[in-house]
C-alpha cells in the first residue's frame, strides 16, 4: 500500500489523503482505519485516533488479526477512566483464539492495571507540585534534573527550543540566597558539542559527572556514557566509559551513587530481561569500571524500565516502569536494597502517578523534596518541559535519610590545601561504605552520611598522619542527621612528636577491654605502620577528671596497653611500639562540660 511508504517517512498528509479515499469507497476498510488511527496518534489527535480504532473494532470484533486495535482501544478507555469498557475489550482479546502472544500479554497487563487502579485511585497521597522559582525555566525544554547533595546546584538537560533541530546540552542553575534558582548556563565548553549531550548524573560533591552523548563523539554505540571530573573550577575533557559499560546498543539515563563508585543506567542491549533494563557497574580503586550487570528480575520486567535514580543513602532506588501494575503508561516506583537483591518495587501512588508517563524523579538527601520535569506532548513531540518540585509525602519517604560532612583538607604546617583520600567505614558491619578524594587544587571534600549506623571517617595521604572522625547516626541518635557539618581537616606531616587522636577506639565505662567497633581503627593504625616501616610510635591514653587521679592514671595506662597488645596481635613488632597512660593530666578541652570531658577521654598515637 502506497500510504505505508508515506507513513514510514512521516509524510502524514499524503498518507491521510490516500487512506481517506479508500475509506470513502469502503467505510468498513479496517486496515485503512487502523493506519489512520496510528497517524492521528503520532500527531497527538486523541479523538480521531479513538474514532478510527472504534471503526476497526466494530467491523472486525471477532477477528484475531485486528486484536491490536482492541487492545489499543481498551487502553484509550482505561486512560479515560472507563474501566468496565476497557476490561470488556481486554478480556475479549484473551478469550479469542489465534491471537498473537504479544497481544495477549498486552491485554493481561492492561487488566492488571485496571485492577490496580480501581483498588488505589481512591487512596491519593499528598501531592502539590509547583514550578521551581527564579530564572531557571527559560529554555524551550528542560528535563532530567539532578542536584548536588548540598542542594546548591542543579544540573539538567536542556534544549533552547522545542523543535527537533535544537540539540541537547548540559546546563547548570545555582540556588540564590533568596532560595530561587539562577538563570541556566552551559555547564562547561568541554561538555558541549553540536551533537546531543544530556541525561546526566553527578556525584554528591559535584565533582564527578557522567552523561549521555550521541552521534559525534567517539562512541561504541548509538548513544554512550561519558565521564568528566571537576578539578578546581574546570571540567576535564570527557572520556568514554569503555566497553565494560557501553556497547553497540543504546546506553543512557545514568544515576551515580553519592561517592561516584556505583553507576546505574539504562540499556536496550541484547540478553536483557525486557526491552530496556536497568544495569549496574562498579568502579574499583584503580578507577576501572566493572562489566555491567543486569539488575535482575527484582527490578526489571519484560517491558521497559527507565530513569533510575539511586538516592544519596545508596539504598533506595527510584525508577519508572511500564511493566509493573500501575495507573497507566510509565509509573514511578521505589525499591530498597536488601542483601544482594531488592525489595518488591512500590508504586509511589496517585496522583504522583497518573495515566500519563512519569519519569526523571530526583529526591533530596533528606528525603523531603522531589524534583522532576513536567512535560506536555503533542503526538511524538514534546511541546513543553519545565522543572517542578513537590514535597514527598511522609508515607513514601526514604527509610534512611542522609546528610553530609564537608570541609577542606589542609597541610597542618603550611596551611596549604591538600588532595587526600576520604574513606567512610560502617562501624557496625566494619565495611567500607564510600571513598572520595578531596579536590587536588582546592582541598575540598564532601562525604554523605546516612542514618541507621555509626561511622568512622578517615582522611589520609602519603607522608602524613591519618585523621579519624566519628559519627553516630544510629536511629536513636539521628536527630542531628538533618544538620550538614563543616569540618576542616589538618593533616600532620610524619614528624617526630606529632600526634593523631584515634576517635574510633571504644571502651565501656570504667573498662579497658576494646569493643569490636574499634577494629577498623586498629586495622587502620596497623596499615599505617606497615606502609611506614621505619616509624615507631607510642600509644597514649588519656581520661577526663571524673574519679581520682590515681584511678584515672591506671585506667588510661591499661587502655593504652590494650591497644598496644592488639597491634602486636596484628603483626606489628614490639620494638616499634610503646604505651603510656597520662590519666587526667593532659586535657585538650574543659572538663566542665560533657562535650569537653568526652574530648579528654581519648587514645592517641605519637611519632617517636
Amino acid at each position: 500500500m502506497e500510504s505505508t511508504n508515506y507513513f514510514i517517512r512521516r509524510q502524514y498528509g499524503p498518507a491521510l489523503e490516500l487512506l481517506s479515499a479508500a475509506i470513502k469507497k469502503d467505510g468498513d476498510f479496517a486496515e485503512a482505519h487502523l493506519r489512520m488511527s496510528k497517524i492521528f496518534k503520532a500527531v497527538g489527535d486523541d479523538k480521531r485516533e479513538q474514532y478510527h480504532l472504534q471503526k476497526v473494532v466494530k467491523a472486525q470484533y471477532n477477528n484475531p488479526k485486528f486484536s491490536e486495535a482492541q487492545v489499543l482501544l481498551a487502553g484509550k478507555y482505561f486512560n479515560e477512566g472507563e474501566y468496565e469498557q476497557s476490561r470488556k475489550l481486554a478480556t475479549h482479546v484473551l478469550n479469542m483464539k489465534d491471537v498473537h502472544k504479544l497481544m495477549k500479554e498486552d491485554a493481561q497487563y492492561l487488566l492488571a492495571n485496571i485492577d490496580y487502579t480501581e483498588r488505589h485511585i481512591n487512596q491519593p497521597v499528598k501531592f502539590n507540585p509547583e514550578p521551581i522559582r527564579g530564572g531557571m525555566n527559560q529554555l524551550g525544554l528542560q528535563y532530567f534534573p539532578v542536584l548536588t547533595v548540598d542542594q546548591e546546584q542543579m544540573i539538567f538537560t536542556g534544549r533552547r527550543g522545542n523543535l527537533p533541530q535544537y540539540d541537547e546540552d548540559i546546563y547548570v542553575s545555582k540556588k540564590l540566597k533568596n532560595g530561587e534558582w539562577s538563570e541556566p548556563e552551559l555547564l562547561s565548553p568541554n561538555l558541549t558539542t553540536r551533537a546531543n549531550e544530556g541525561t546526566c548524573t553527578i556525584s554528591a560533591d559535584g565533582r564527578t559527572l557522567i552523561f549521555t552523548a550521541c552521534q559525534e563523539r567517539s562512541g561504541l554505540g548509538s548513544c554512550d556514557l561519558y565521564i568528566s571530573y571537576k578539578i578546581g573550577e574546570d571540567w576535564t575533557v570527557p572520556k568514554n566509559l569503555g566497553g565494560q559499560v557501553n556497547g553497540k546498543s543504546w546506553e543512557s539515563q545514568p544515576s551515580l551513587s553519592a561517592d561516584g563508585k556505583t553507576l546505574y543506567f539504562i540499556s536496550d542491549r541484547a540478553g536483557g530481561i525486557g526491552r530496556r533494563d536497568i544495569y549496574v557497574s562498579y568502579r574499583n580503586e584503580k578507577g576501572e569500571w566493572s562489566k555491567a550487570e543486569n539488575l535482575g528480575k527484582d527490578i526489571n520486567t519484560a517491558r521497559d524500565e527507565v530513569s533510575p535514580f539511586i538516592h544519596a543513602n545508596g539504598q533506595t532506588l527510584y525508577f519508572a516502569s511500564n511493566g509493573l501494575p500501575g495507573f497507566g503508561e510509565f509509573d514511578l516506583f521505589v525499591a530498597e536494597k536488601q542483601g544482594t537483591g531488592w525489595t518488591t518495587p512500590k508504586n509511589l501512588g496517585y496522583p504522583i502517578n497518573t495515566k500519563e508517563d512519569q519519569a526523571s524523579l530526583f529526591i533530596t538527601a533528606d528525603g523531603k523534596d522531589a524534583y522532576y520535569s513536567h512535560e506536555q506532548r503533542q503526538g511524538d513531540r514534546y511541546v513543553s518541559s519545565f522543572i517542578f518540585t513537590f514535597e514527598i509525602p511522609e508515607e513514601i519517604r526514604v527509610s534512611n535519610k542522609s546528610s553530609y560532612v564537608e570541609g577542606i583538607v589542609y597541610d597542618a604546617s603550611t596551611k596549604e590545601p591538600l588532595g587526600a583520600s576520604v574513606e567512610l567505614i560502617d562501624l557496625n558491619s566494619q565495611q567500607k561504605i564510600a571513598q572520595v578524594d578531596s579536590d587536588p587544587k582546592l582541598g575540598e571534600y564532601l562525604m554523605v552520611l546516612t542514618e541507621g549506623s555509626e561511622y568512622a571517617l578517615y582522611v589520609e595521604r602519603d607522608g602524613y598522619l591519618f585523621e579519624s572522625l566519628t559519627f553516630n547516626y544510629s536511629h536513636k541518635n539521628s536527630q542531628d542527621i538533618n544538620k550538614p557539618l563543616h569540618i576542616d581537616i589538618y593533616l600532620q606531616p610524619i614528624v617526630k612528636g606529632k600526634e593523631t587522636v584515634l576517635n574510633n577506639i571504644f571502651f565501656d565505662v570504667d573498662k579497658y577491654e576494646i569493643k569490636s567497633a574499634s577494629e577498623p581503627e586498629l586495622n587502620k593504625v596497623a596499615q599505617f605502620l606497615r606502609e611506614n616501616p621505619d616509624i615507631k610510635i607510642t600509644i597514649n591514653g588519656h581520661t577526663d577528671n571524673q574519679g581520682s587521679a590515681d584511678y584515672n592514671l591506671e585506667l588510661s595506662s591499661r587502655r593504652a596497653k590494650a591497644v598496644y597488645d592488639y597491634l602486636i596481635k596484628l603483626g606489628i613488632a614490639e620494638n616499634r611500639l610503646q604505651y603510656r597512660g597520662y590519666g587526667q593530666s593532659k586535657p585538650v578541652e574543659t572538663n566542665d562540660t560533657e562535650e569537653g570531658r568526652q574530648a579528654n577521654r581519648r587514645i592517641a598515637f605519637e611519632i617517636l
Side-chain angles (χ1 to χ4, degrees):
M1 186 182 291
E2 190 177 354
S3 64
T4 301
N5 294 327
Y6 285 125
F7 178 79
I8 292 172
R9 295 195 298 268
R10 296 190 177 188
Q11 294 176 302
Y12 297 139
L16 285 173
E17 289 181 11
L18 290 171
L19 292 168
S20 297
I23 289 173
K24 281 184 179 180
K25 293 180 180 179
D26 180 3
D28 292 330
F29 190 178
E31 288 90 345
H33 281 296
L34 184 58
R35 179 56 49 81
M36 289 187 80
S37 75
K38 292 183 177 181
I39 291 174
F40 288 123
K41 179 178 181 179
V43 299
D45 192 330
D46 290 337
K47 288 185 178 180
R48 285 198 277 186
E49 176 196 0
Q50 184 165 327
Y51 169 81
H52 287 285
L53 286 174
Q54 288 171 331
K55 286 289 188 181
V56 177
V57 172
K58 182 178 180 181
Q60 301 288 342
Y61 185 69
N62 291 309
N63 188 341
K65 288 177 58 179
F66 291 91
S67 59
E68 177 189 12
Q70 299 196 37
V71 171
L72 291 172
L73 184 58
K76 301 291 288 184
Y77 287 145
F78 172 74
N79 288 339
E80 294 172 351
E82 301 292 341
Y83 302 131
E84 286 308 311
Q85 291 189 67
S86 180
R87 188 190 301 277
K88 180 181 177 181
L89 278 178
T91 302
H92 181 65
V93 171
L94 287 178
N95 291 333
M96 279 196 295
K97 294 181 179 180
D98 300 321
V99 171
H100 193 281
K101 176 184 176 184
L102 292 178
M103 290 299 103
K104 284 189 176 289
E105 289 177 355
D106 286 349
Q108 288 173 331
Y109 170 70
L110 187 54
L111 287 171
N113 280 350
I114 294 170
D115 291 341
Y116 184 89
T117 300
E118 289 184 326
R119 288 197 308 270
H120 294 94
I121 201 166
N122 294 320
Q123 304 167 15
V125 297
K126 183 180 178 182
F127 181 57
N128 297 303
E130 58 184 22
I132 62 172
R133 295 182 294 119
M136 229 301 284
N137 284 316
Q138 291 195 1
L139 301 176
L141 301 171
Q142 41 264 300
Y143 42 91
F144 280 102
V146 296
L147 279 72
T148 52
V149 77
D150 60 9
Q151 301 182 45
E152 293 298 316
Q153 294 188 71
M154 181 185 298
I155 319 294
F156 61 96
T157 304
R159 294 176 183 260
R160 292 194 176 276
N162 60 10
L163 298 176
Q165 62 261 35
Y166 292 98
D167 66 325
E168 294 181 332
D169 288 309
I170 301 172
Y171 290 84
V172 60
S173 178
K174 298 178 181 179
K175 186 174 284 186
L176 305 175
K177 291 182 179 180
N178 62 2
E180 296 185 351
W181 290 91
S182 69
E183 294 185 6
E185 299 176 0
L186 286 171
L187 183 60
S188 170
N190 281 342
L191 307 177
T192 304
T193 69
R194 289 180 295 178
N196 286 325
E197 294 87 24
T199 53
C200 63
T201 180
I202 197 162
S203 58
D205 61 5
R207 295 193 172 276
T208 301
L209 181 83
I210 293 179
F211 65 95
T212 310
C214 306
Q215 301 168 354
E216 290 193 5
R217 293 183 185 269
S218 55
L220 304 177
S222 58
C223 289
D224 280 4
L225 298 178
Y226 291 77
I227 192 166
S228 177
Y229 300 98
K230 191 177 185 183
I231 300 176
E233 297 300 330
D234 299 317
W235 288 94
T236 62
V237 175
K239 291 185 177 180
N240 190 295
L241 284 183
Q244 294 291 83
V245 173
N246 295 312
K248 295 180 179 179
S249 50
W250 174 83
E251 279 76 40
S252 187
Q253 301 175 5
S255 181
L256 195 59
S257 62
D259 66 348
K261 305 293 185 183
T262 304
L263 174 65
Y264 300 86
F265 66 96
I266 299 297
S267 177
D268 63 358
R269 65 189 59 185
I273 294 169
R275 293 172 294 208
R276 287 180 287 177
D277 286 349
I278 302 175
Y279 287 77
V280 63
S281 178
Y282 306 95
R283 191 171 69 175
N284 63 21
E285 303 294 337
K286 298 179 180 179
E288 302 165 335
W289 292 94
S290 67
K291 185 174 178 59
E293 305 169 9
N294 191 292
L295 214 54
K297 292 184 178 180
D298 287 351
I299 299 296
N300 291 315
T301 70
R303 289 175 174 263
D304 289 322
E305 279 64 49
V306 297
S307 306
F309 165 67
I310 189 68
H311 187 261
N313 65 20
Q315 305 162 5
T316 308
L317 180 71
Y318 295 86
F319 63 99
S321 174
N322 65 5
L324 294 167
F327 299 97
E329 304 298 338
F330 280 98
D331 275 10
L332 292 165
F333 294 83
V334 61
E336 297 284 338
K337 188 175 288 186
Q338 189 176 61
T340 58
W342 299 86
T343 61
T344 301
K346 177 182 178 181
N347 191 297
L348 292 190
Y350 178 85
I352 294 176
N353 290 316
T354 66
K355 65 181 182 180
E356 308 294 342
D357 284 342
Q358 280 79 37
S360 85
L361 191 69
F362 180 95
I363 310 294
T364 54
D366 58 15
K368 291 182 179 180
D369 297 305
Y371 292 82
Y372 73 105
S373 49
H374 181 79
E375 299 162 345
Q376 290 185 325
R377 298 179 64 168
Q378 186 174 18
D380 295 334
R381 185 172 69 86
Y382 289 102
V383 294
S384 69
S385 180
F386 300 106
I387 307 299
F388 274 57
T389 185
F390 66 93
E391 185 176 340
I392 294 287
E394 286 282 354
E395 59 266 36
I396 58 172
R397 286 189 180 176
V398 293
S399 300
N400 292 313
K401 55 184 179 288
S402 298
S403 187
Y404 60 93
V405 56
E406 52 85 27
I408 300 175
V409 182
Y410 292 102
D411 181 305
S413 298
T414 67
K415 305 301 185 291
E416 292 294 320
L418 288 177
S421 171
V422 184
E423 184 178 83
L424 189 69
I425 303 292
D426 186 318
L427 292 175
N428 294 334
S429 67
Q430 299 187 14
Q431 298 296 311
K432 181 167 71 174
I433 301 299
Q435 183 175 345
V436 300
D437 295 322
S438 62
D439 186 277
K441 291 184 178 179
L442 305 177
E444 296 174 347
Y445 78 95
L446 184 148
M447 180 66 77
V448 168
L449 303 169
T450 298
E451 69 179 355
S453 195
E454 297 178 69
Y455 301 102
L457 188 141
Y458 297 103
V459 183
E460 52 193 323
R461 176 186 168 105
D462 288 345
Y464 293 82
L465 299 179
F466 70 83
E467 285 288 324
S468 70
L469 304 175
T470 187
F471 303 94
N472 187 349
Y473 284 151
S474 57
H475 283 292
K476 64 181 179 180
N477 293 307
S478 60
Q479 62 270 22
D480 293 332
I481 188 68
N482 291 325
K483 298 178 181 178
L485 301 173
H486 181 95
I487 302 177
D488 292 335
I489 306 294
Y490 293 85
L491 294 183
Q492 298 281 357
I494 300 175
V495 177
K496 182 178 180 179
K498 296 296 183 181
E499 181 183 70
T500 189
V501 176
L502 302 174
N503 287 302
N504 295 288
I505 302 293
F506 304 104
F507 303 92
D508 285 324
V509 176
D510 292 336
K511 303 291 184 182
Y512 55 86
E513 292 82 8
I514 296 173
K515 299 181 73 172
S516 60
S518 309
E519 292 180 15
E521 189 104 324
L522 293 165
N523 290 334
K524 186 66 68 175
V525 176
Q527 176 187 338
F528 172 81
L529 291 170
R530 293 188 193 104
E531 292 173 352
N532 298 276
D534 297 329
I535 287 176
K536 297 181 179 180
I537 65 170
T538 180
I539 310 297
N540 298 327
H542 304 270
T543 70
D544 58 26
N545 68 349
Q546 303 294 296
S548 70
D550 289 342
Y551 177 82
N552 287 334
L553 184 63
E554 178 67 15
L555 179 62
S556 66
S557 180
R558 289 191 173 191
R559 286 181 170 178
K561 173 72 161 52
V563 173
Y564 168 89
D565 290 338
Y566 197 101
L567 291 174
I568 290 173
K569 288 181 181 179
L570 290 177
I572 305 303
E574 290 185 47
N575 63 1
R576 299 181 62 193
L577 302 173
Q578 297 180 23
Y579 68 91
R580 181 175 177 180
Y582 289 92
Q584 62 195 50
S585 65
K586 288 191 172 185
V588 291
E589 298 287 348
T590 178
N591 277 304
D592 295 334
T593 66
E594 175 52 36
E595 291 78 11
R597 289 191 293 272
Q598 184 175 346
N600 292 331
R601 299 189 295 267
R602 66 195 189 278
I603 295 288
F605 75 80
E606 179 184 348
I607 304 297
L608 294 175

